Amino acid sequence: MPMKYKDLNIQTQREFPNNARTQGFGWLVRAGYLTRENQILPLGELAISQLHAKRSADVLALLPVLSNERETFFPLDAERGPLEIIHCPACNYSERIELAQFKKTPFSTEAPLPTEKVLTPDCPTIESLANFLNIPKEKTAKALMYTRTSDNQFVFIVVRGDMQMSEAKLKNIVGDVRAATVEEITAVGAAAGYASPVGLNARALIVVDDLIPQSPNLAAGANEAGYHLLNTNCGRDYAPEIVADLTQAKAGDSCVKCGNPLSVLTALSLATRYKFDFENILLALAETYHDDKGLTLPKSAAPFDVYLMHVPGKQMDTRAKAEEIYNELQAAGIMALFDDRDERAGVKFNDADLIGCPLRITVGEKALQNGMVELKPRKEKENKLIALDKLIEEM
Ligand SMILES: [Zn+2]
């Protein structure tokens, strides 16, 4: 495994990328782990392979994660991200937004009223219907129509008009689906934009959200363009084959476990029951461990134990001495990144801070004349001198 700066072809960046979604991503780009386009560079590959070799549970323990029995998340400080999760700040319930459960409350408990067909011109959406009838969306039924891909079964779904259906929940219940075509909709006796499960023929599989049987007198389509039915009641006017949780939680809904208001967070998925996502774990580490100079990875997660560098000398061959130390460290099983460039000290110090190894060893002419090298922990300001023959022991 190459452990030398030149072999790894490390290119640190002076500027924070202006497309950085998060601080951690920006620092990984500046330190040469990733490109601005999120491609993994050799240093990043090495960091990820090192993470593979560590005990993943120990690495996850370094991060402020949110977990459930299936998946571990890392909340991101970003407006948008690859994943949204529902989180309860009170009890820590955490789940992907499309699978999260929440406590549903019936909007009213009034007695069922007789159905009434009403003219509702130009009301093909819940919005327009609620406006036209001057009722809250909670008093409407939203119809969604799909065809199951495995057997072309027509699936008719009803959720309360103010709620969003979760396709993930639907697929967990009925299998893979696609949107129904107009022909398929007509074939079961429904009308797009004015559809309801009332009066459909037997070919439709009716699936309703578990709040629908507790929601009396909903306005629903009359299966005739331009008409709706007032006061439809599930169970009385139509019989669902399946009643299940089908709707997506949103911020402010009540936690299914403790009843407190839920939040929506942007997150990374770090692990499922079957695998770890080491790229995301590296990003989560960078989010958690950085300062204003670069990464500050803890020893148990850093790709290297040591950043070893020489300051080019005037009389002495500091590079050869550093190479010697590098070989000794390797032999002792200490992972050292050897900055073998003949660059100025300042440039190397900056790069060492960016890359974030827990410890820096500097081989310079002045100290070397006394048989010493400089040792500096990444997170401390001061360095100390240590005798060469004590170095491995000290590590
Ligand atoms: Zn809760």
Side-chain angles (χ1 to χ4, degrees):
M1 204 185 288
M3 304 277 193
K4 292 184 182 174
Y5 202 98
K6 285 191 206 161
D7 292 340
L8 284 165
N9 198 18
I10 297 172
Q11 301 284 341
T12 58
Q13 306 292 327
R14 250 179 223 217
E15 304 285 335
F16 215 75
N18 48 21
N19 68 339
R21 279 200 316 263
T22 64
Q23 287 283 309
F25 175 78
W27 285 115
L28 286 172
V29 171
R30 278 208 60 195
Y33 289 75
L34 300 175
T35 67
R36 283 160 191 257
E37 293 73 36
N38 202 20
Q39 299 295 311
I40 303 170
L41 290 164
L43 179 60
E45 305 260 10
L46 202 138
I48 287 166
S49 75
Q50 287 297 102
L51 286 172
H52 267 277
K54 294 178 198 289
R55 264 196 41 159
S56 303
D58 295 346
V59 176
L60 291 186
L62 297 166
L63 297 167
V65 295
L66 301 173
S67 302
N68 60 41
E69 60 279 4
R70 283 187 311 278
E71 195 162 10
T72 301
F73 307 103
F74 177 83
L76 276 179
D77 192 11
E79 252 174 56
R80 283 179 306 130
L83 187 69
E84 278 190 322
I85 62 167
I86 283 287
H87 175 241
C88 173
C91 76
N92 248 348
Y93 172 70
S94 307
E95 182 57 277
R96 285 176 177 250
I97 194 165
E98 67 272 22
L99 295 176
Q101 293 178 294
F102 60 105
K103 213 173 260 174
K104 299 173 191 172
T105 316
F107 182 72
S108 91
T109 51
E110 63 197 21
L113 297 169
T115 325
E116 188 187 331
K117 186 173 168 182
V118 290
L119 182 66
T120 52
D122 298 323
C123 292
T125 64
I126 291 292
E127 196 87 64
S128 52
L129 178 68
N131 278 337
F132 183 82
L133 295 175
N134 196 22
I135 53 171
K137 287 184 192 171
E138 287 86 344
K139 293 280 283 176
T140 65
K142 187 190 283 183
L144 299 115
M145 293 169 280
Y146 292 88
T147 299
R148 181 156 61 197
T149 45
S150 63
D151 60 357
N152 285 326
Q153 169 67 52
F154 190 90
V155 185
F156 194 105
I157 294 122
V158 184
V159 301
R160 212 173 64 180
D162 60 309
M163 293 185 162
Q164 290 297 327
M165 189 200 69
S166 156
E167 259 192 43
K169 287 182 179 178
L170 177 67
K171 285 175 183 179
N172 282 345
I173 295 159
V174 303
D176 276 340
V177 292
R178 59 167 172 80
T181 64
V182 175
E183 291 73 28
E184 288 166 335
I185 291 169
T186 314
V188 296
Y194 297 87
S196 81
V198 181
L200 295 185
N201 64 41
R203 274 188 281 175
L205 172 68
I206 299 171
V207 185
V208 304
D209 183 55
D210 49 12
L211 191 56
I212 292 297
Q214 309 169 52
S215 302
N217 303 329
L218 300 180
N223 290 321
E224 186 180 334
Y227 290 91
H228 278 85
L229 298 171
L230 302 181
N231 307 322
T232 66
N233 285 275
C234 178
R236 181 191 72 181
D237 303 322
Y238 60 94
E241 275 87 354
I242 301 173
V243 178
D245 172 29
L246 284 173
T247 43
Q248 182 153 315
K250 59 185 188 309
D253 282 341
S254 300
C255 175
V256 70
K257 297 221 163 135
C258 75
N260 279 291
L262 296 167
S263 329
V264 177
L265 304 177
T266 294
L268 296 170
S269 172
L270 300 187
T272 62
R273 257 187 288 184
Y274 309 105
K275 73 180 188 52
F276 291 89
D277 186 327
F278 290 101
E279 270 178 56
N280 280 351
I281 290 173
L282 179 63
L283 184 53
L285 285 165
E287 297 298 339
T288 312
Y289 297 100
H290 64 257
D291 58 16
D292 57 356
K293 292 195 172 79
L295 299 170
T296 57
L297 301 172
K299 187 169 162 25
S300 45
F304 302 100
D305 303 312
V306 176
Y307 192 95
L308 172 67
M309 56 171 274
H310 69 287
V311 181
K314 291 198 176 83
Q315 288 128 38
M316 299 175 82
D317 188 355
T318 50
R319 190 189 185 289
K321 194 66 206 175
E323 180 102 37
E324 221 174 90
I325 295 169
Y326 172 67
N327 291 332
E328 280 173 36
L329 291 170
Q330 293 271 70
I334 296 163
M335 293 281 289
L337 171 62
F338 180 19
D339 186 347
D340 52 347
R341 299 170 301 165
D342 287 326
E343 282 282 1
R344 284 185 295 115
V347 172
K348 292 184 162 189
F349 289 157
N350 280 342
D351 285 352
D353 282 344
L354 275 172
I355 292 168
C357 307
L359 207 59
R360 187 184 78 203
I361 298 175
T362 307
V363 183
E365 201 164 46
K366 205 169 142 212
L368 206 53
Q369 279 162 355
N370 302 315
M372 315 275 258
V373 290
E374 267 178 32
L375 212 60
K376 182 188 167 296
R378 169 65 179 82
K379 285 194 278 187
E380 284 169 34
K381 282 205 169 67
E382 301 303 316
N383 54 34
K384 64 174 182 178
L385 290 171
I386 181 121
L388 269 172
D389 53 1
K390 293 273 182 354
L391 181 62
I392 300 288
E393 202 179 302
E394 174 81 14
M395 309 283 307

